[in-house]
Structures are given as C-alpha cells and as structure tokens.
Amino acid sequence: MKSTFFYIAVFCLLSACYSCQDNAVAAFPANSKDFMPVGSYAFKTGDGWGYAITVDNKIFIKQSIIPCIAGEKSFASQADAEKVADLVLTKIKTHQKPSIFKSELEKLGIAE
C-alpha cells in the first residue's frame, strides 16, 4: 500500500512540474513581441574588424576597436570580433553590463 501511495505522489509531482513548464513556454514564446531580438555581426574596418550588437534590429553597440587596450587597434580577424561580440551578447542576455575586460580578451585568445 505504501509503494502505491509513493508512485501516485511521484506521478502527481512530475505532472505538476511538466504542466508548469508547458505554461511557462506558452506564456513566454520565443517569438513573442514582448521580447526584443538581440543579435550581432562583424564588419570590416579600415585596418581590421569590428562588431556591432543590435537590439530590436537597431545598433546598440558599435565597436570598431578592441576594447580596454591602449591605442585604437581593430580586431585582427572576423573570428576575433565575433568571439567578443558573442561574449557581449551573453552578458546582455544574462542581465550583466556589456563591459569587456582585458582578462576576458586573454581568455578568448585575442592578442593586442
């Protein structure tokens, strides 16, 4: 009798979790107009690459030089610009300041 009660309790708990998950997805669909789309792209500069962060299809950040280093040097490659843009996007999506630190550039393998 106790094992039957246990299985019923587990079934009810799992059903409740599943139904809450479905409601959350329905209440906040990925393509909802309540959310602004956030994106990024790399662009060519005169001597290298930069990146732009867009919010609601409008430029929010346009970074043509490598942040937090001395001088005004562009990224050496499109891939480097995209790595930093991805980091900035992650920060924005997790409600952090989109600031970049030299230690983060080093971690991404981006040289001055």
Side-chain angles (χ1 to χ4, degrees), residues 17-69:
C17 290
Y18 181 75
S19 66
C20 289
Q21 184 179 11
D22 286 349
N23 289 340
V25 171
F28 302 105
N31 60 354
S32 172
K33 291 184 181 181
D34 294 336
F35 296 102
M36 289 189 243
V38 180
S40 68
Y41 62 89
F43 61 88
K44 190 79 172 120
T45 65
D47 61 343
W49 290 86
Y51 68 85
I53 304 296
T54 60
V55 176
D56 198 23
N57 299 316
K58 296 177 183 116
I59 294 177
F60 180 65
I61 298 170
K62 187 171 183 179
Q63 189 71 43
S64 58
I65 59 172
I66 302 174
C68 73
I69 65 164

Side-chain angles (χ1 to χ4, degrees), residues 87-102:
L87 177 59
V88 172
L89 278 178
T90 299
K91 287 184 172 192
I92 290 171
K93 290 178 181 179
T94 57
H95 308 286
Q96 298 176 43
K97 291 181 182 179
S99 303
I100 297 297
F101 300 98
K102 192 169 185 172

